[in-house]
């Protein structure tokens, strides 16, 4: 009597596992697509520094904060400015930003400021490799040029 119950139970167990596995996969794939399409840029930061100078400019949807040698100024960020900047940032492969090569090396001898771009997207921070101020890697050039005029206004 016990022997027919055991194989039948095993069959029902396999059927149940298979059905659960399919339903988990079906519900997971739309979430994956939605999350990849909704890459949200939360903050973009440009740092430029050398031995005697330190400039940090942080852009968020609500404001831009500039710090020059510790003196901060805060101003509101318009939606059009933020849209322009994030549009440029979204074209960059953020997972490879730290490996981008700088075209020049003047920062090694203090002939140029050391620049870095930091992008926070979906809670993850991506930091570029350092490059000479004014001469970013070609992949960062459009974003760098988009945030440079905003920096000079301040």
């Amino acid at each position: 009597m016990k022997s027919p119950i055991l194989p039948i139970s095993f069959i029902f167990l396999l059927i149940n596992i298979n059905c659960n596995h399919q339903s988990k996969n079906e519900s997971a794939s739309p979430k994956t697509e939605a999350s990849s399409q909704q890459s949200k840029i939360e903050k973009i930061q440009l740092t430029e520094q050398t031995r005697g100078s330190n400039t940090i400019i942080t852009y968020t949807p609500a404001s831009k904060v500039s710090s020059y040698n510790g003196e901060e100024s805060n101003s509101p960020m318009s939606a059009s400015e933020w849209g322009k900047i994030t549009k440029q940032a979204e074209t960059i492969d953020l997972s490879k930003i730290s490996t981008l090569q700088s075209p020049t090396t003047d920062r090694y001898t203090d002939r140029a400021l050391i620049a870095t771009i930091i992008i926070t997207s979906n809670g993850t921070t991506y930091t570029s490799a350092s490059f000479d101020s004014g001469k970013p890697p070609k992949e960062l050039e459009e974003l760098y040029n988009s945030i440079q005029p905003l920096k000079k206004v301040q």
Side-chain angles (χ1 to χ4, degrees):
M1 276 275 206
K2 288 186 178 183
S3 57
I5 294 175
L6 187 60
I8 292 173
S9 299
F10 183 73
I11 291 172
F12 283 121
L13 178 66
L14 287 176
I15 292 172
N16 190 22
I17 291 173
N18 193 21
C19 290
N20 287 338
H21 182 67
Q22 286 179 341
S23 65
K24 286 181 183 176
N25 283 343
E26 289 171 6
S27 65
S29 61
K31 289 179 187 175
T32 305
E33 282 181 27
S35 64
S36 66
Q37 291 174 354
Q38 294 177 352
S39 175
K40 183 180 178 196
I41 305 293
E42 299 162 8
K43 179 172 72 168
I44 299 173
Q45 186 174 46
L46 172 65
T47 64
E48 295 181 322
Q49 60 188 3
T50 191
R51 283 188 256 183
S53 170
N54 186 23
T55 303
I56 302 171
I57 303 170
T58 305
Y59 302 93
T60 63
S63 67
K64 50 188 168 186
V65 178
S66 300
S67 172
Y68 180 72
N69 291 336
E71 293 183 31
E72 278 192 13
S73 67
N74 193 348
S75 58
M77 173 68 85
S78 73
S80 63
E81 284 178 318
W82 179 248
K84 178 182 173 186
I85 292 171
T86 56
K87 183 178 178 182
Q88 296 301 324
E90 289 169 350
T91 64
I92 300 167
D93 183 357
L94 297 178
S95 64
K96 296 180 181 178
I97 195 171
S98 64
T99 62
L100 300 176
Q101 296 294 317
S102 175
T104 57
T105 58
D106 289 342
R107 66 194 176 283
Y108 296 158
T109 59
D110 283 344
R111 288 189 284 175
L113 296 172
I114 301 166
T116 307
I117 295 177
I118 303 166
I119 301 172
T120 303
S121 176
N122 293 328
T124 305
T125 302
Y126 301 92
T127 304
S128 73
S130 63
F131 57 91
D132 293 347
S133 177
K135 299 176 184 172
K138 65 180 180 173
E139 296 87 351
L140 297 176
E141 192 169 10
E142 288 183 43
L143 174 62
Y144 183 80
N145 291 336
S146 293
I147 59 180
Q148 275 302 96
L150 296 176
K151 174 190 159 215
K152 291 177 183 175
V153 168
Q154 310 232 343

